[in-house]
Amino acid sequence: MALTHHQYSPPKLPRIVLTGIGLTSPNGNDLATHRAALLNKQSGVQDYEIRYVGKTLAGICDYDALKYQNRREVRRGTRAGSVAIYSCNEAVVNSQIDWENMDKSRVGIYLGVTEHGNVETENEVYELSQFDYDVSVWNHFHNPRTVANNPAGEAALNMGITGPHYTLGAACAAGNNGLIQGAQMLQLGQCDLALAGGVSESIHTFGIFASFKSQGALAEHSDPVKASRPFDVDRNGIVVSEGGCVYTLERLDDALARGAHIYGELVGHSINTDATDFVLPNPERQSQCINIALKMAGITPADVDILSTHATGTLSGDIQEVSALRKVFDANCKVSINNTKSFIGHCMGAAGALELAGNLGSFEDNICHPTINVDTLDEECAIPGLVLNDAKQLENVEYIVNNSFGMLGINSTVVIRKYSS
Amino acid sequence: MTPAEIRAAIIEILETIAPDEDLSNLDDAKEFRDQMELDSMDFLDIVMELRKRYRVQVPEEDYANLVSMQSTVSYLEPKMADLPAE
């Protein structure tokens, strides 16, 4: 008889902790600024215009690309590569690890992306159209820019990292998946330091806007900062954003040995698949995903303090996720539920990692940031614990659960525990 | 285009390809590589920009002519002489 997931007990694995964070988000280019913006209700969504689609909205990052690259490198590489380079370098600096003396062959990079290559391909085809489709003007950088490992590969090149580098395609679940992959590689002993998270350059491809528009899922609002409104009855779709968020992950013993600051411990995670539809979510599978992660963490739903939702502001998606949450959390649970996309839009491949980062501050201040822009809560999204419009002071935050779901039915959940010695 | 105009066109291309370089003191007789950071992909970029901007084709066997400003201008002169100045 085949061995099932439930019958197999893995060996005791090393504990994995988060020791550094580098990020760029539409409302901040470091963790402190991003967290403060979430507590001060600052959005990062702006008016935006892109080829063929015209005027729309987007979350745009304004990090200093020249902090870790020269202008030639920025020109040569991709936006996702640049976001990755900024986020990875910032994470290393933030971790205060002795980077100079670190064995770079023992460093691995694991970055999730929703998609990659569309930006370059669209730009090249447009350029080609200006030359009557003469392919002799097709850019020789097309291949190195569009290979699927590009963002992680560019970061490795920039930082002299010679360990493994993975770019993981996982639609909008990708940020969590990068984190999970990094943790697993540390547990397997494949690296001693993992740079793990997700990146997105998606606002530079018109196709993503046009496709959401055709699907009836692109947000529109006269006021950009009110456009991303998960759970609100007047929500009308997704605000596409760019961003990046990378963690330095280490085995607990290594982190303790160097006296690292520990943001939290990754105690549970899960990735599963709906196998039911191209784009429509499946609440049954989403709730299973959450439950598997909680089980791995050795906790019950009643132990969860904050749940960071994936909800993107689409009519059906938000309802489906709340439906999944209802299957997991009952009325006795203390969980506070929030949403980061209401501030910064949907950072695609970076979303999972970024949305977790913005919540980690609650381990120290016990404040749960809200979901903003909920003027009228959609009754179908009403669930106990929703923190709406104003931040909520909690007594103590021990466990944060972070959901991130994506097309083709990929679901991911991570559970982070406050670290205490 | 005169040799001086061709030189100005090359400088413009180099400014795009190598935006971090100071080209004001470029020695036309010296190889580009000895004065600035240029790799093989950058040389391909020069060839591509010539093709895009001036419709000038530089076949692979002629790439060696692009080592310095002087050799580049001499090589391009017959190919670009009939082009109007920009």
Side-chain angles (χ1 to χ4, degrees), chain A residues 116 143-144 146-155 165-167:
Chain A
H116 185 74
N143 290 349
T146 59
V147 285
N149 60 320
N150 172 282
E154 278 202 42
H165 79 266
Y166 290 22
T167 302

Side-chain angles (χ1 to χ4, degrees), chain A residues 66 70-73 75-76 124 127 130-132 134 136-141 144, chain B residues 16-21 37-39 41-42 44-45 48-49 51-53 55 57:
Chain A
L66 297 179
N70 62 31
R71 287 186 291 168
R72 177 170 170 271
E73 287 162 341
R75 175 183 176 272
R76 176 176 285 198
E124 279 300 307
E127 189 77 1
Q130 308 301 299
F131 290 88
D132 201 20
D134 171 7
S136 72
V137 302
W138 188 261
N139 200 302
H140 47 278
F141 284 118
Chain B
T16 308
I17 294 168
D20 305 291
E21 301 282 345
E37 203 186 314
L38 282 184
D39 62 19
M41 294 295 259
D42 293 319
L44 281 175
D45 249 350
M48 179 65 77
E49 289 303 314
R51 191 181 294 150
K52 278 184 171 177
R53 297 182 190 195
R55 292 287 179 185
Q57 301 291 346

Side-chain angles (χ1 to χ4, degrees), chain A residues 78-158:
Chain A
T78 64
R79 178 71 170 174
S82 174
V83 168
I85 287 166
Y86 178 84
S87 304
C88 287
N89 276 285
E90 288 282 292
V92 166
V93 171
N94 185 258
S95 74
Q96 296 188 312
I97 202 163
D98 180 5
W99 183 247
E100 194 111 313
N101 295 310
M102 180 95 206
D103 177 357
K104 307 300 187 297
S105 71
R106 296 293 299 162
V107 180
I109 309 184
Y110 310 95
L111 300 182
V113 292
T114 289
E115 47 78 33
H116 185 74
N118 289 314
V119 174
E120 306 305 325
T121 304
E122 285 176 8
N123 287 344
E124 279 300 307
V125 171
Y126 176 77
E127 189 77 1
L128 203 59
S129 74
Q130 308 301 299
F131 290 88
D132 201 20
Y133 296 96
D134 171 7
V135 289
S136 72
V137 302
W138 188 261
N139 200 302
H140 47 278
F141 284 118
H142 177 79
N143 290 349
R145 283 176 181 156
T146 59
V147 285
N149 60 320
N150 172 282
E154 278 202 42
L157 192 61
N158 174 272

Side-chain angles (χ1 to χ4, degrees), chain A residues 128-378:
Chain A
L128 203 59
S129 74
Q130 308 301 299
F131 290 88
D132 201 20
Y133 296 96
D134 171 7
V135 289
S136 72
V137 302
W138 188 261
N139 200 302
H140 47 278
F141 284 118
H142 177 79
N143 290 349
R145 283 176 181 156
T146 59
V147 285
N149 60 320
N150 172 282
E154 278 202 42
L157 192 61
N158 174 272
M159 300 173 78
I161 293 167
T162 61
H165 79 266
Y166 290 22
T167 302
L168 300 112
C172 300
N176 269 359
N177 291 26
L179 207 57
I180 294 168
Q181 182 78 46
Q184 290 171 333
M185 292 295 266
L186 282 165
Q187 288 171 327
L188 287 172
Q190 299 283 310
C191 60
D192 296 328
L193 178 74
L195 297 172
V199 296
S200 171
E201 62 178 9
S202 292
I203 66 164
H204 302 282
T205 153
F206 76 85
I208 202 156
F209 291 90
S211 183
F212 280 137
K213 204 170 184 174
S214 302
Q215 198 188 328
L218 186 68
E220 290 176 11
H221 201 287
S222 56
D223 183 355
V225 304
K226 292 186 174 164
S228 186
R229 43 198 313 124
F231 310 135
D232 184 83
V233 75
D234 290 328
R235 68 190 182 282
N236 59 18
I238 294 167
V239 171
V240 183
S241 300
E242 64 175 351
C245 181
V246 173
Y247 297 85
T248 55
L249 302 182
E250 296 173 75
R251 291 179 290 268
L252 176 63
D253 291 350
D254 293 342
L256 291 177
R258 71 174 185 88
H261 171 74
I262 295 175
Y263 287 93
E265 178 177 356
L266 177 59
V267 288
H269 55 77
S270 170
I271 299 172
N272 77 349
T273 309
D274 294 343
T276 44
D277 193 89
F278 261 56
V279 294
L280 295 177
N282 179 326
E284 189 66 36
R285 295 287 168 270
Q286 291 180 345
S287 64
Q288 284 172 354
C289 185
I290 299 168
N291 281 327
I292 294 168
L294 295 181
K295 187 180 173 196
M296 181 180 177
I299 61 173
T300 69
D303 295 314
V304 179
D305 298 289
I306 293 177
L307 182 128
S308 167
T309 57
H310 170 77
T312 61
T314 62
L315 287 177
S316 71
D318 294 9
I319 294 170
Q320 306 279 43
E321 183 173 3
V322 169
S323 165
L325 297 180
R326 285 197 187 104
K327 293 177 196 292
V328 178
F329 299 98
D330 62 26
N332 299 321
C333 290
K334 62 185 172 186
V335 64
S336 293
I337 300 170
N338 68 8
N339 179 279
T340 307
K341 291 186 182 78
S342 60
F343 296 82
I344 58 174
H346 190 344
C347 292
M348 301 285 149
L354 254 181
E355 292 165 12
L356 172 64
N359 273 298
L360 290 175
S362 63
F363 283 144
E364 284 164 27
D365 58 24
N366 295 314
I367 299 172
C368 177
H369 78 68
T371 304
I372 56 169
N373 292 329
V374 186
D375 295 332
T376 310
L377 178 64
D378 181 349

